[in-house]
């Protein structure tokens, strides 16, 4: 609710906690949504989704959540027509709300969404939180999650056109040693193409998706925190698969080396003569201020103690970082 108000999708005074009022608002919003939904399902209608349609989604999530805090199970079941909508995000909202009430509904639909490229990762999260016994074990589900990630990477790319690719194919994968995590991580090599005139002439283009832990279905739960998704829109047919992998590995090596440089040269505490001078001036100033008030004896006593502690802390961290830096650099050399 706070986020919705902050983003000005609605105003707090417009939504008193009254069951009849909320139900009427919800019915009215359903009518507006379904009208927009017909536009949304048309090909390349992305601007509608980004603007007015997205705000309606937030309103629907908000009102449905409020309504479920008042309605009976029978009234909740009466809204199951939502499961027939084409918008997976709203379907997932309804399924999650029903599951939190302990109602068995939407299992077939959420398994269908798991095998799509719109909402598959969110469906996985909802299942994991509410019905973990339904979690997919088949590695084939990796394809759905990775394909969905590739679609949104192209959509959100700063040099893109804010449209989804027309086709995405997973061409293979490779493991790459990440020494910060001290383990092999999985990366997927993807190719995609767009029917938009800006990219249509390029045909299939390459993309890197990762990093993921090996041996597990790659969802937002087991991402290791490395946002290594990358595309330079290089035409796929210009190189072989192995040449694309080599290019991506070089990209990872350069990116991670840059991260190491930033960590070990920008964030290591430095205890130098300048710090000593500042501390000495502060100590002397406080010493003379004791003549004005006895209270200034406190900084006179604490200043050298604090300075000594910071000195040993800086030395300890610097020594630890220097050792880790050598280990990382040695690991990159081996790669």
């Amino acid at each position: 609710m706070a986020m919705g108000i902050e983003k000005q999708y609605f105003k707090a005074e417009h939504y008193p906690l009254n069951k009849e009022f909320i139900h009427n608002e919800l019915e009215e919003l359903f009518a507006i949504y379904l009208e927009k939904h017909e536009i949304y399902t048309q090909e390349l209608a992305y601007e509608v989704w980004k603007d007015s349609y997205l705000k309606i989604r937030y309103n629907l999530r908000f009102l449905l959540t409020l309504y479920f805090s008042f309605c009976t199970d029978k009234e909740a079941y009466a809204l199951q027509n939502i499961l027939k909508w084409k918008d997976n995000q709203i379907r997932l909202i309804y399924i999650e709300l029903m599951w939190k009430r302990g109602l068995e509904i939407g299992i077939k639909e959420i398994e269908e969404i798991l095998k799509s490229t719109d909402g598959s990762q969110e469906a996985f999260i909802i299942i994991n939180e509410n019905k973990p016994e339904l979690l997919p074990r088949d590695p084939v589900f990796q394809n759905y999650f990775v394909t969905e990630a590739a679609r949104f990477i192209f959509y959100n790319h700063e040099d893109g056109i804010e449209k989804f690719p027309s086709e995405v194919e997973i061409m293979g994968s490779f493991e790459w040693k990440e020494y910060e995590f001290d383990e092999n991580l999985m990366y997927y090599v993807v190719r995609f193409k767009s029917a938009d005139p800006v990219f249509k002439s390029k045909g299939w283009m390459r993309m890197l998706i990762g990093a993921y832990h090996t041996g597990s279905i790659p969802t937002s739960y087991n991402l290791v925190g490395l946002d290594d998704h990358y595309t330079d829109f290089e035409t796929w047919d210009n190189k072989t698969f192995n040449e694309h992998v080599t290019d991506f590995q070089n990209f990872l090596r350069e990116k991670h080396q840059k991260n190491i440089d930033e960590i070990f040269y920008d964030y290591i505490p430095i205890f130098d003569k300048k710090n000593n001078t500042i501390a000495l001036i502060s100590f002397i100033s406080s010493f003379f201020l004791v003549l004005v008030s006895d209270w200034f004896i406190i900084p006179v006593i604490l200043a050298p103690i604090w300075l000594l502690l910071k000195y040993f802390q800086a030395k300890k961290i610097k020594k630890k970082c220097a050792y880790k830096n050598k280990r990382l650099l040695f690991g990159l050399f081996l790669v």
Side-chain angles (χ1 to χ4, degrees):
M1 186 185 298
M3 183 187 70
I5 295 172
E6 180 183 352
K7 299 295 185 181
Q8 297 184 343
Y9 293 119
F10 49 80
K11 294 183 180 180
E13 59 265 31
H14 291 165
Y15 297 99
L17 297 180
N18 176 282
K19 179 179 179 180
E20 183 179 357
F21 174 82
I22 292 172
H23 181 265
N24 292 337
E25 286 285 297
L26 195 57
E27 290 293 324
E28 183 178 336
L29 195 59
F30 279 159
I32 297 173
Y33 167 83
L34 290 173
E35 179 183 353
K36 296 287 185 182
H37 190 256
E38 290 302 315
I39 301 173
Y40 167 71
T41 55
Q42 296 177 16
E43 188 176 2
L44 302 180
Y46 301 107
E47 294 304 317
V48 175
W49 178 81
K50 284 179 55 186
D51 298 328
S52 61
Y53 186 77
L54 183 59
K55 294 180 181 180
I56 293 173
R57 263 187 178 175
Y58 272 103
N59 272 323
L60 268 174
R61 176 185 285 271
F62 171 69
L63 284 171
L64 277 173
T65 303
L66 279 183
Y67 184 67
F68 267 65
S69 66
F70 289 99
C71 71
T72 63
D73 289 352
K74 183 178 180 180
E75 290 170 327
Y77 273 118
L79 298 177
Q80 61 183 293
N81 191 53
I82 291 175
L83 295 176
K84 299 178 181 178
W85 294 1
K86 294 181 180 180
D87 182 357
N88 287 343
Q89 301 298 328
I90 302 299
R91 296 166 77 193
L92 288 171
I93 292 169
Y94 179 70
I95 292 171
E96 184 174 24
L97 288 170
M98 293 293 280
W99 284 5
K100 288 185 181 299
R101 296 173 74 103
L103 302 178
E104 295 293 328
I105 192 173
I107 293 177
K108 180 184 72 174
E109 287 78 8
I110 202 168
E111 289 178 346
E112 172 192 313
I113 295 172
L114 276 173
K115 297 180 180 180
S116 71
T117 56
D118 179 21
S120 59
Q121 290 195 17
E122 187 172 347
F124 189 96
I125 292 171
I126 291 172
I127 291 175
N128 189 61
E129 291 179 348
N130 297 276
K131 294 182 180 293
E133 67 276 9
L134 298 178
L135 284 175
R137 307 297 178 185
D138 191 343
V140 73
F141 280 90
Q142 295 177 356
N143 298 336
Y144 304 121
F145 300 135
V146 172
T147 300
E148 181 179 6
R151 282 166 48 81
F152 280 93
I153 288 163
F154 178 66
Y155 183 93
N156 294 311
H157 197 285
E158 58 182 4
D159 296 324
I161 49 179
E162 294 187 329
K163 295 180 181 179
F164 292 111
S166 55
E167 293 184 61
V168 175
E169 288 185 6
I170 300 173
M171 305 305 293
S173 61
F174 65 90
E175 292 186 11
W176 193 78
K177 183 75 172 183
E178 170 48 56
Y179 286 87
E180 180 68 19
F181 290 87
D182 196 27
E183 65 175 304
N184 286 332
L185 299 177
M186 180 69 71
Y187 289 85
Y188 288 84
V189 179
V190 172
R191 72 175 186 175
F192 65 98
K193 62 181 178 180
S194 172
D196 190 273
V198 176
F199 289 100
K200 187 175 182 179
S201 61
K202 293 182 70 67
W204 290 102
M205 295 165 281
R206 67 182 184 181
M207 182 184 293
L208 176 69
I209 305 292
Y212 300 97
H213 290 297
T214 58
S216 59
I217 296 176
T219 70
S220 54
Y221 264 120
N222 56 37
L223 279 167
V224 297
L226 289 175
D227 185 11
D228 285 331
H229 306 315
Y230 170 74
T231 181
D232 54 3
F233 305 111
E234 172 80 24
T235 300
W236 177 265
D237 292 335
N238 287 348
K239 297 183 178 181
T240 66
F241 174 81
N242 289 335
E243 288 174 333
H244 288 302
V245 169
T246 300
D247 288 349
F248 287 143
Q249 288 176 337
N250 289 334
F251 161 76
L252 292 171
R253 188 176 291 107
E254 292 175 6
K255 179 184 176 182
H256 291 191
Q257 179 59 56
K258 182 179 179 182
N259 291 342
I260 291 171
D261 292 341
E262 290 177 354
I263 292 171
F264 290 102
Y265 292 103
D266 291 346
Y267 298 102
I268 293 178
I270 298 175
F271 194 91
D272 54 18
K273 293 182 179 179
K274 180 180 178 182
N275 291 340
N276 289 340
T277 304
I278 294 173
L280 183 61
I281 293 173
S282 300
F283 174 77
I284 294 174
S285 299
S286 300
F287 183 80
F288 284 107
L289 288 172
V290 173
L291 300 175
V292 178
S293 173
D294 292 340
W295 285 102
F296 285 101
I297 193 64
I298 296 176
V300 172
I301 297 173
L302 293 180
I305 297 175
W306 175 85
L307 193 62
L308 190 63
L309 290 175
K310 296 298 289 184
Y311 171 79
F312 286 116
Q313 181 189 22
K315 288 295 185 182
K316 181 179 179 181
I317 294 175
K318 189 172 182 179
K319 182 179 179 180
K320 183 178 179 181
C321 288
Y323 170 77
K324 193 174 183 181
N325 192 16
K326 290 180 181 178
R327 184 173 67 86
L328 285 167
L329 290 174
F330 177 70
L332 286 170
F333 174 76
L334 291 179
V335 172

